[in-house]
Amino acid sequence: MASLEKAIHGIGPLNEKAMRAARERQDSLTKPRGSLGRLEELSIRVAGIRGEIVPRLHHKAIVVMAADHGVVAEGVSLYPQEVTAQMVQNFLCGAAGINVLARQVGARVVVVDMGIAGELEPHSNLVSKKVALGTRNMMRGSAMSREEAINAIEAGLEIVAREFEKGLDIIGTGDMGIGNTTPSSAITAAITGEPVAGVTGRGTGIGDKQLTRKVKVIEEALKVNQLDTRDGLDVLAKVGGFEIGGLVGVMIGAAAHRIPIVIDGFISGAAALIATKMAPNLGDFLIAAHVSAERGHRVALKHLGLKPLLDLRMRLGEGTGAALAIFIIEAAVKTLAEMATFAEAGVSEAEKRAI
Amino acid sequence: MASLEKAIHGIGPLNEKAMRAARERQDSLTKPRGSLGRLEELSIRVAGIRGEIVPRLHHKAIVVMAADHGVVAEGVSLYPQEVTAQMVQNFLCGAAGINVLARQVGARVVVVDMGIAGELEPHSNLVSKKVALGTRNMMRGSAMSREEAINAIEAGLEIVAREFEKGLDIIGTGDMGIGNTTPSSAITAAITGEPVAGVTGRGTGIGDKQLTRKVKVIEEALKVNQLDTRDGLDVLAKVGGFEIGGLVGVMIGAAAHRIPIVIDGFISGAAALIATKMAPNLGDFLIAAHVSAERGHRVALKHLGLKPLLDLRMRLGEGTGAALAIFIIEAAVKTLAEMATFAEAGVSEAEKRAI
């Protein structure tokens, strides 16, 4: 708990001086002012996070946290639980969606077992931070103990510390866990105050009947567990998941290290709702990669005050949206670093009369 | 004219067989069906264009066509006309926005002088296809002759043929030309039938008074020139520009070579309105990179039936939006090529009961 509190207190404000200087530089580059739109804003935000006028993003990592969920016993998912472990093997073989997109953007993929229901064979690229063999069924009581929730978050802090040692300039969040849209909807409903039906979607593609069941399961879980929604840790413990807790830790740890955090889809959004509850300064360090086709995500982003960079109707998770967004963010900082100024290029500026 | 007609007739339909096979492959990959959203659709579209089930995009080019516009005499732009030539020098030095973003996505930049008002020093990376020293002032009559319009389009065909020889799997369109939102608004109003005020924006950033003047200039140009809006060539000649004509040729030539065409912002959109008028089969080969902050672009895309991939409030032109979109399209085809199938990865498929 000490390391978690230390990390939360270590999250400072954005560096306003670096942001002002980055804005000035953007305005001096060979283009009409503001004509790179959100790329300009992104470059300035990254300058403020890193505390550098011209930040560079050489070292990129996408952390994919995997875990299982007791609530799958209620029939909320289309896929059997063993798919979590099978997909982790797929990540380790480099053949899943996130591997393809992370390769393209030059990011390393960090695969973490946060609590898969079963033992995986050791693999040089698999980090084991297993809190337990999956959560308990949240419809029958708390998904995990408060101590397990803290363990999950602290595992996320440790992952960031380890990656930071290797060199880290930007981090993306990803997830894998059959059934994990169910806890994510529960968290989103609890923290935003929206009705469960308004934040619960089809996940991997369930039909109408199963969706109705999923909404009921979540409503029951929220009733049974009597959450204290002012307390992020309480929400995480009662209706969360180990991978969600791990992502909360990744976000808090990355912000404490002044690393821009690219949050992926709905599961990352739920983690961000908890993380910002626990660490109110964290929001400035978050960049929303995309808006997922999963309906609750839009609600979560609105509550977080984040505008997604992409809207491509993706809903795969794994960090796939984050990988694409990292390219856009890198494009933004590259314009700041590599474009010539009007003076350098000998290009005439806008005519005064017309401004 | 013979080569133009030949190219138009050479534009075939999408390869339905390749598209069906690509769809089947997408559905067999280790992810819930449809969960990569527009990436899946893009990969299938590219398969249909290329006539390959698993297309690859090794060779990428962004063609930046530059020209000047007689209508700048009417005070429609914020920047002096010499900026067109100065920015072309900046492109050749590799220090403009498009150079930075094209480098990031691994695309070569092809800079073409289609009709800059002045002679540029020769440069190994500058292709000269100069039709004239800028167009005439469209408010006083036709911007160019019909012959000049054909010359501009045929120059675009030649550029594509040249790039195709070097190896070309995808092409992006870009533009540079002080004042060129003015002809683009004129073309958009003429072809979509929208009022001029609804498709005319601030370009590089003009104020209210100058915007009112710009609308009046365009209205006058449309009145003076008496366009035959069924005839794309007539619209191009009377209220277009040489870089716009060049881009029309790039689009027609690329479609004839079955190369996916990533259209950038408002100027490329105006060129696409003319190109699809001349070659109705062309539309299937176009991918809209982004929606520009320039207001007429949304109208043009709607008329073209294209949904942009990105909305980042960019309005720089040069092909900068196309560069970012090429990354997304490459991501799409890479998922198709590099992800494992359920069978290959030994991952369980969705449970039958639940479908």
Side-chain angles (χ1 to χ4, degrees), chain B residues 118-150:
Chain B
E119 294 301 332
L120 281 84
E121 275 180 44
H123 186 289
S124 57
N125 287 327
L126 176 65
V127 187
S128 181
K129 293 282 180 187
K130 201 187 272 289
V131 180
L133 293 163
T135 53
R136 292 187 295 274
N137 182 348
M138 69 181 190
M139 206 179 83
R140 315 266 170 213
S142 191
M144 62 183 98
S145 68
R146 196 170 173 93
E147 198 192 340
E148 285 174 324
I150 293 167

Side-chain angles (χ1 to χ4, degrees), chain B residues 232-255:
Chain B
L233 207 50
D234 189 66
V235 175
L236 174 63
K238 288 175 174 166
V239 298
F242 296 130
E243 79 280 51
I244 297 172
L247 292 175
V248 171
V250 165
M251 292 176 196
I252 291 171

Side-chain angles (χ1 to χ4, degrees), chain B residues 219-299:
Chain B
E219 285 171 343
E220 181 69 15
L222 292 174
K223 207 172 97 186
V224 164
N225 280 294
Q226 294 292 317
L227 312 184
D228 176 0
T229 57
R230 294 160 308 176
D231 178 5
L233 207 50
D234 189 66
V235 175
L236 174 63
K238 288 175 174 166
V239 298
F242 296 130
E243 79 280 51
I244 297 172
L247 292 175
V248 171
V250 165
M251 292 176 196
I252 291 171
H257 282 96
R258 304 195 73 85
I259 304 294
I261 304 151
V262 187
I263 61 170
D264 187 40
F266 185 45
I267 283 75
S268 291
L273 288 172
I274 291 174
T276 52
K277 206 60 148 170
M278 296 177 69
N281 284 345
L282 180 71
D284 287 339
F285 294 80
L286 301 178
I287 298 170
H290 75 129
V291 56
S292 164
E294 183 72 12
R295 65 187 301 180
H297 192 215
R298 209 173 281 273
V299 176

Side-chain angles (χ1 to χ4, degrees), chain A residues 175-245:
Chain A
D175 68 282
M176 179 68 221
I178 292 303
N180 69 6
T181 57
T182 297
S184 299
S185 290
I187 291 166
T188 304
I191 294 186
T192 69
E194 287 290 316
V196 171
V199 298
T200 303
R202 294 176 188 277
T204 47
I206 56 174
D208 290 346
K209 214 172 140 186
Q210 218 177 344
L211 178 59
T212 305
R213 170 76 185 147
K214 183 173 169 185
V215 170
K216 276 199 157 170
V217 167
I218 295 167
E219 285 172 343
E220 182 67 16
L222 292 175
K223 207 171 95 189
V224 164
N225 280 293
Q226 295 292 316
L227 312 184
D228 176 0
T229 57
R230 294 159 307 176
D231 179 5
L233 208 50
D234 190 66
V235 176
L236 174 63
K238 288 175 175 167
V239 299
F242 296 130
E243 80 280 50
I244 296 172

Side-chain angles (χ1 to χ4, degrees), chain A residues 157-187:
Chain A
L157 297 180
E158 287 161 23
I159 294 290
V160 171
R162 197 184 103 129
E163 296 305 316
F164 189 78
E165 284 299 309
K166 295 182 195 163
L168 185 65
D169 299 315
I170 190 164
I171 198 163
T173 65
D175 68 282
M176 179 68 221
I178 292 303
N180 69 6
T181 57
T182 297
S184 299
S185 290
I187 291 166

Side-chain angles (χ1 to χ4, degrees), chain B residues 20-58:
Chain B
R20 266 196 307 276
R23 171 81 274 165
E24 271 171 38
R25 182 166 165 82
Q26 274 292 2
D27 288 345
S28 74
L29 300 176
T30 40
K31 61 181 166 54
R33 278 191 186 194
S35 63
L36 281 174
R38 294 193 70 190
L39 294 192
E40 297 189 16
E41 294 164 16
L42 279 170
S43 70
I44 292 161
R45 170 70 71 94
V46 175
I49 292 173
R50 304 290 288 143
E52 292 171 338
I53 302 165
V54 184
R56 301 303 301 239
L57 304 178
H58 299 298

Side-chain angles (χ1 to χ4, degrees), chain B residues 70-87:
Chain B
V71 74
V72 296
E74 304 300 331
V76 290
S77 182
L78 203 62
Y79 287 83
Q81 188 171 62
E82 62 261 29
V83 167
T84 304
Q86 290 167 348
M87 281 301 297

